[in-house]
Amino acid sequence: MSLSVEQLDFQAAVRDFCARECATREQREALLDPDEEDQSAALYKQLAELGWLGVAIPEEYDGSGGTYLDQTILFEELWRGLAPVKALGPTTTVAGCYKRFGSEDQKREALAAVADGEIMSISISEPGAGSDVAAIACSATPVSGGYVLNGQKTWCSYAHRAGRILLVARTSRDEKPHAGLTIFEVPADSEGVQTRRISTLGGREVNDVFFTDCFVADEQVVGEIGRGFPQIMAGLDGERLLGAAVGLGLGQRALDDAIGYVKDRRQFGKTIGSFQVLRHRIADLATELECARLLTYEVAQRLDRGPDPVTTRMTSMAKVKTSEVAKRIALEGLQMMGGYGYATEYDMESHVRHSLVLPIYAGTNEIQREIISGSLGLR
């Protein structure tokens, strides 16, 4: 598979941008917003001005009208360049939901806001409902002119920075466990919405979000009442593709850093990269990463042609492959660097911390394997 001339130029432009704006730890730390580990409002604004935040948003909604493959290239290069703009992940997922199910007014307003730099968050998981979406208990009770929301959500990425939150809540109970769910757009500053940041191994980008007697108008329903579950499922291929692109970028950066280190580090009178045990290990990692990249790019191209059952299976495969390869590269890189890999002076320890969550978010790899095996007739 090969990229077009335009896509190669785009890839080079994003790579050059990261090399210029955030190549060093000192640059990244200077860019960060107060009390943030991975988000810079200034850098995010630059991406908006370049038109990259709206790369896959249709032109009629102020986007660039690009493809899933263009979006994949952007994510891979930003994460490879360690650009502190991690809120782009959940924001892009939210934009995808608006594109598929939003009303014309919602799309015109929300998608333009994404392209202009507004951060958005998606709120699905609950303390008792992670992989089991049917267990969602957050309620949306009908009242005159809208709904009243009550309940707790968790693991909501960048909800503390978001202008709006896309919420999945229960509007009814049905014999079918996945029925009765509805998606709402909720301004993050609405009365009755409270966010509380969660400290994790990788930082503090996720939140608990509490909804207490929060009113939303009928016009804030996204899609159809009671059809939230199939709407969520329709967006999972795109979300998993983003996760795969993130894995590619992080895995490539960890590999780049490991190669750079073993080329310079000398022991026993020679560079450690000359030792066969490390040369062959790096060769294996580079091969695995390239296989993951080819699979991910193929998935992106297939999604541009439209979803189908085979593409869904391949999207799950890409998410599993990239996340596990990225984690393996980071852990192997740390081992190659020895104590220096463990030291915060170098980025490798950060690569390890951030790679550990890749097999968990955007649908755990256990769930992806269920999807893959089920598509092969194994149930």
Side-chain angles (χ1 to χ4, degrees):
M1 195 220 79
S2 59
L3 301 178
S4 68
V5 173
E6 292 79 8
Q7 287 164 338
L8 288 170
D9 287 344
F10 179 50
Q11 182 184 61
V14 181
R15 192 172 298 176
D16 289 346
F17 174 85
C18 292
R20 183 175 65 254
E21 301 292 339
C22 55
T24 68
R25 177 169 294 193
E26 291 74 22
Q27 283 178 300
R28 295 192 294 272
E29 289 178 349
L31 284 166
L32 287 175
D33 299 346
D35 200 30
E36 292 285 1
E37 294 89 357
D38 288 306
Q39 183 62 25
S40 163
L43 206 64
Y44 208 71
K45 187 175 188 299
Q46 288 187 63
L47 295 184
E49 291 170 349
L50 288 165
W52 293 350
L53 296 185
V55 65
I57 290 174
E59 293 180 5
E60 59 264 35
Y61 303 116
D62 295 344
S64 302
T67 64
Y68 276 110
L69 185 52
D70 297 327
Q71 187 172 269
T72 299
I73 292 168
L74 175 66
F75 270 69
E76 180 182 3
E77 291 302 325
L78 288 175
W79 263 257
R80 181 183 185 176
L82 302 184
V85 289
K86 300 303 192 300
L88 181 58
T91 301
T92 302
T93 298
V94 171
C97 188
Y98 276 113
K99 281 169 57 178
R100 285 183 295 273
F101 302 109
S103 67
E104 190 59 32
D105 286 344
Q106 287 172 342
K107 286 190 284 191
R108 189 178 300 110
E109 200 276 328
L111 294 179
V114 169
D116 193 45
E118 182 178 319
I119 292 170
M120 299 185 187
S121 181
I122 190 161
S123 189
I124 301 174
S125 295
E126 298 179 5
S131 299
D132 183 11
V133 177
I136 284 177
C138 183
S139 64
T141 304
V143 296
S144 177
Y147 295 81
V148 173
L149 308 174
N150 281 285
Q152 178 185 350
K153 294 291 184 176
T154 194
W155 309 121
C156 305
S157 297
Y158 287 99
H160 64 288
R161 289 282 184 181
R164 71 195 77 193
I165 298 169
L166 215 57
L167 168 72
V168 181
R170 184 165 294 285
T171 44
S172 65
R173 294 243 172 228
D174 193 279
E175 292 180 0
K176 297 179 181 179
H178 292 93
L181 299 175
T182 302
I183 300 177
F184 298 89
E185 59 170 1
V186 185
D189 60 358
S190 297
E191 185 177 352
V193 177
Q194 180 184 12
T195 62
R196 184 179 66 197
R197 298 175 74 178
I198 302 171
S199 295
T200 72
L201 189 65
R204 300 176 65 223
E205 69 180 55
V206 293
N207 300 262
D208 286 316
V209 184
F210 302 89
F211 298 88
T212 306
D213 296 331
C214 174
F215 175 79
V216 290
D218 289 326
E219 294 76 22
Q220 290 169 258
V221 171
V222 178
E224 299 179 49
I225 297 291
R227 296 279 298 167
F229 181 73
Q231 290 174 199
I232 295 168
M233 297 301 290
L236 291 183
D237 282 348
E239 184 181 16
R240 289 164 188 156
L241 176 62
L242 293 181
V246 167
L248 287 180
L250 183 55
Q252 187 65 61
R253 179 54 181 258
L255 185 63
D256 292 344
D257 287 355
I259 292 172
Y261 181 84
V262 301
K263 282 182 175 180
D264 289 339
R265 174 68 168 169
R266 297 184 66 85
Q267 289 287 277
F268 309 105
K270 60 177 67 176
T271 61
I272 64 174
S274 67
F275 300 152
Q276 187 183 75
V277 65
L278 295 189
R279 293 203 318 268
H280 287 190
R281 192 181 302 176
I282 286 174
D284 287 344
L285 294 174
T287 301
E288 289 296 306
L289 185 63
E290 191 60 30
C291 290
R293 179 174 290 110
L294 292 171
L295 174 60
T296 301
Y297 282 21
E298 172 66 19
V299 166
Q301 289 187 318
R302 291 180 67 101
L303 280 176
D304 284 325
R305 296 194 292 268
D308 62 64
V310 175
T311 300
T312 293
R313 177 173 69 216
M314 291 178 66
T315 305
S316 290
M317 289 175 172
K319 197 272 181 179
V320 169
K321 184 67 174 177
T322 56
S323 62
E324 294 184 357
V325 167
K327 183 172 77 170
R328 179 185 167 194
I329 292 172
L331 289 169
E332 292 268 21
L334 185 146
Q335 183 69 26
M336 292 179 204
M337 291 176 67
Y340 291 108
Y342 200 63
T344 57
E345 177 185 355
Y346 292 86
D347 287 322
M348 192 61 72
E349 60 82 27
S350 174
H351 302 336
V352 170
R353 287 187 288 109
H354 287 93
S355 69
L356 292 177
V357 77
L358 296 181
I360 298 173
Y361 79 31
T364 66
N365 284 6
E366 289 77 12
I367 291 295
Q368 305 313 313
R369 288 183 166 91
E370 283 292 294
I371 293 168
I372 295 165
S373 60
S375 74
L376 297 172
L378 301 173
R379 295 189 183 279

